[in-house]
Amino acid sequence: GNSVTQMEGPVTLSEEAFLTINCTYTATGYPSLFWYVQYPGEGLQLLLKATKADDKGSNKGFEATYRKETTSFHLEKGSVQVSDSAVYFCALRVNNNDMRFGAGTRLTVKP
Amino acid sequence: DGGITQSPKYLFRKEGQNVTLSCEQNLNHDAMYWYRQDPGQGLRLIYYSQIVNDFQKGDIAEGYSVSREKKESFPLTVTSAQKNPTAFYLCASSIDMIRGEKLFFGSGTQLSVL
């Protein structure tokens, strides 16, 4: 089946630290890959996406590269801010089917 | 502002009671979705609708029902058959299923059992 597995949280970092949240996927076919973010008290919103191998998605200083050889789509940011504190979800979509989400990783950034 | 509105924000259900969660969107989107969010399990799809008067079961449809009588509305009923309803429920929409890469989410409803 189609699924994603992401690193368990919570993750706690100091401001300006480097962030990596790991995500690997299993898919039948050629998936598009996504990162969604959920700020406290809100619904999810799309952070970035990549639709084919070797594509890099980027937004708000976050980046993720679609690695077919390792079936991964790890989220990175060079210098996190307190405002980045949220829950981050990795997701995939194969063909025009529904979106499949990972379990989410809670990030807390301390000043 | 365009968006998705879910209500109520908090809902309590008594045993044996059916409750209905509201989801309204003014984005003119064809596709709408209901997800359940449990701690440590991510989002699981309950039902989705590609167009008015049509809907399909997702992975965990048992104990839930939906209707899609209007394009902008996709209410979810949690029936008494759902034995473990306590969860955070999220409604989402996309332009359509073909262009369903970008989902727009509401701010959710937390359902608890009394």
Side-chain angles (χ1 to χ4, degrees), chain B residues 51-99:
Chain B
I51 200 165
V52 175
N53 293 322
D54 179 69
F55 50 83
Q56 284 82 41
K57 294 181 179 180
D59 296 327
I60 56 165
E62 186 174 350
Y64 300 96
S65 65
V66 294
S67 63
R68 188 85 187 277
E69 297 176 0
K70 298 185 296 182
K71 186 175 186 177
E72 59 270 23
S73 179
F74 191 42
L76 173 74
T77 296
V78 183
T79 74
S80 57
Q82 173 49 246
K83 298 307 180 186
N84 184 24
T86 297
F88 191 59
Y89 291 86
L90 285 164
C91 179
S93 71
S94 63
I95 295 174
D96 50 45
M97 282 293 285
I98 294 174
R99 290 173 286 179

Side-chain angles (χ1 to χ4, degrees), chain A residues 6 8 38 44 87-89 101-106, chain B residues 34-46 59-62 64 76 78 82-90 105 108-113:
Chain A
Q6 60 182 107
E8 292 186 18
Q38 184 179 30
L44 282 70
V87 182
Y88 292 83
F89 291 89
F101 290 89
T105 301
R106 182 176 298 278
Chain B
W34 274 106
Y35 287 92
R36 171 176 170 145
Q37 184 177 14
D38 294 281
Q41 293 192 48
L43 278 67
R44 291 181 289 168
L45 184 65
I46 305 172
D59 296 327
I60 56 165
E62 186 174 350
Y64 300 96
L76 173 74
V78 183
Q82 173 49 246
K83 298 307 180 186
N84 184 24
T86 297
F88 191 59
Y89 291 86
L90 285 164
F105 282 84
T109 293
Q110 175 65 51
L111 175 62
S112 302
V113 176

Side-chain angles (χ1 to χ4, degrees), chain A residues 74-93:
Chain A
H74 305 323
L75 182 69
E76 296 181 336
K77 186 174 185 181
S79 176
V80 294
Q81 305 301 310
V82 172
S83 58
D84 293 326
S85 298
V87 182
Y88 292 83
F89 291 89
C90 187
L92 69 78
R93 189 168 182 255

Side-chain angles (χ1 to χ4, degrees), chain A residues 6 16 20 24 27 56 77 101-102 107:
Chain A
Q6 60 182 107
E16 299 183 2
T20 300
T24 57
K56 177 186 284 188
K77 186 174 185 181
F101 290 89
L107 169 66

Side-chain angles (χ1 to χ4, degrees), chain A residues 32 34 36 38 41-46 49 51 87 89 93 95-104, chain B residues 9 33 35 37 40-43 45 48 59 88 90 96-107:
Chain A
S32 294
F34 308 84
Y36 276 79
Q38 184 179 30
E42 299 181 12
L44 282 70
Q45 54 186 275
L46 180 64
K49 70 176 185 180
T51 57
V87 182
F89 291 89
R93 189 168 182 255
N95 298 325
N96 295 326
N97 293 316
D98 58 281
M99 194 79 70
R100 296 282 165 163
F101 290 89
Chain B
K9 194 172 180 67
Y33 315 80
Y35 287 92
Q37 184 177 14
Q41 293 192 48
L43 278 67
L45 184 65
Y48 65 98
D59 296 327
F88 191 59
L90 285 164
D96 50 45
M97 282 293 285
I98 294 174
R99 290 173 286 179
E101 293 192 340
K102 185 172 183 179
L103 297 177
F104 293 78
F105 282 84
S107 56

